[in-house]
Amino acid sequence: MLLIHCPYCDETLPEVEFAYAGEAHIARPENPSEMSDEDWQEFLFMRTNTKGPYYERWRHLHGCGRFFNAVRDTVSDKFLTTYQAGAPRPDLDTLLPPQAEGGK
Amino acid sequence: MNAPILAEVPLAHSAAATIRRAAPRARASLRLRGDLAPFEAALGLTLSGRLGSRADAGPREGLRLGPDEWMLHTTPDDLATVTSALAPLYADHPHSLVDVSGREVTVVIEGPRAAELLTIGCARDIDAIPDGAARRTVFDGAAVILWRDSATRFRIDVWNSFAPHLLDLLVIGTRELAAETS
């Protein structure tokens, strides 16, 4: 079972309390009616599906109930960091070295 | 209500732990954002603690579940006082106070191995919850609020429809732990 750090509760808790909620940092367009069908399709359906560090949303469903963002390595399933919703995207360069050490 | 209504009679008792239904409590869900001070003054409770912290005042207990969510417990008689204390604040501080008394039942788990008994359904580290705090979590798939009164006394609030399942699990667990020790 994964252990996930909730940035609101400030505790590292079992995965069963959390729900996955898709890719993070996707802003809903301000004026959907002005968008072309292609752009709207891009917003609705197209995700990066990264192999490696991936920005994603999680929700502490059975806890504080908050949505937050996480960076998870989709290969190793390791969480590199979690941060509050609305916070800027953390720089991957600062996150990756500790992960390399952890893989020894 | 599906769960057995036997407040005084223990549902299970062994050397490991005792399972009882708690006396009925009035419960209210409070949601608000912004300034907490007028609400703290009206309720006589501290609301601004960290998530999972509790505050007691007379019959009232307040638990902070999330950044904008609290669970209030009190006696059935006191609930009307709580409601009327918060109603005048609504105009300046919009909030939501919902009576959820009928939604849940409370189970008391008490005994030297109560914490160990909880691990049959709860993936959390029970010892990491401080005495006098509480957490919303999952117990064998059911959403619960776990109150830690002391290292040997816990309360679980669970929705009515999940209560028979949860009680069955706890009763069986109580017997199994006792069988181990004897």
Side-chain angles (χ1 to χ4, degrees), chain B residues 83-117:
Chain B
T83 313
S84 53
L86 294 192
L89 298 176
Y90 189 77
D92 292 332
H93 305 279
H95 63 274
S96 147
L97 179 74
V98 181
D99 178 0
V100 293
S101 306
R103 188 179 72 179
E104 289 157 348
V105 291
T106 301
V107 187
V108 181
I109 298 130
E110 211 167 358
R113 298 177 77 187
E116 197 180 340
L117 173 61

Side-chain angles (χ1 to χ4, degrees), chain B residues 101-166:
Chain B
S101 306
R103 188 179 72 179
E104 289 157 348
V105 291
T106 301
V107 187
V108 181
I109 298 130
E110 211 167 358
R113 298 177 77 187
E116 197 180 340
L117 173 61
L118 292 175
T119 60
I120 63 172
C122 186
R124 263 188 187 251
D125 180 3
I126 306 291
D127 291 336
I129 304 172
D131 288 350
R135 297 285 189 273
R136 183 158 57 190
T137 179
V138 185
F139 197 97
D140 200 52
V144 299
I145 297 177
L146 176 62
W147 304 69
R148 181 175 170 129
D149 296 325
S150 74
T152 55
R153 185 190 148 94
F154 297 84
R155 279 176 288 153
I156 292 182
D157 295 351
V158 61
W159 287 30
N160 282 319
S161 52
F162 296 117
H165 168 62
L166 186 131

Side-chain angles (χ1 to χ4, degrees), chain B residues 6 47 52 54 56 72 82-83 119 140 177 180:
Chain B
L6 298 166
L47 299 176
R54 279 156 58 177
D56 300 357
L72 306 176
V82 170
T83 313
T119 60
D140 200 52
L177 281 184
E180 256 175 42

Side-chain angles (χ1 to χ4, degrees), chain A residues 22-36:
Chain A
E23 188 172 356
H25 300 291
I26 294 177
R28 185 181 169 84
E30 298 274 334
N31 291 307
S33 56
E34 291 172 7
M35 293 185 72
S36 67

Side-chain angles (χ1 to χ4, degrees), chain B residues 2 28 46 48 58 61 64-65 72-73 79 97 106 114-115:
Chain B
N2 297 321
T46 309
S48 54
E61 283 181 306
R64 188 167 202 181
L65 289 173
L72 306 176
H73 280 198
L79 185 63
L97 179 74
T106 301

Side-chain angles (χ1 to χ4, degrees), chain A residues 9 11 13 17 62-63 66, chain B residues 50 68 124 135-137:
Chain A
C9 298
E11 286 184 292
L13 300 167
E17 292 193 4
H62 297 293
R66 295 293 98 186
Chain B
R50 59 166 292 170
D68 59 353
R124 263 188 187 251
R135 297 285 189 273
R136 183 158 57 190
T137 179

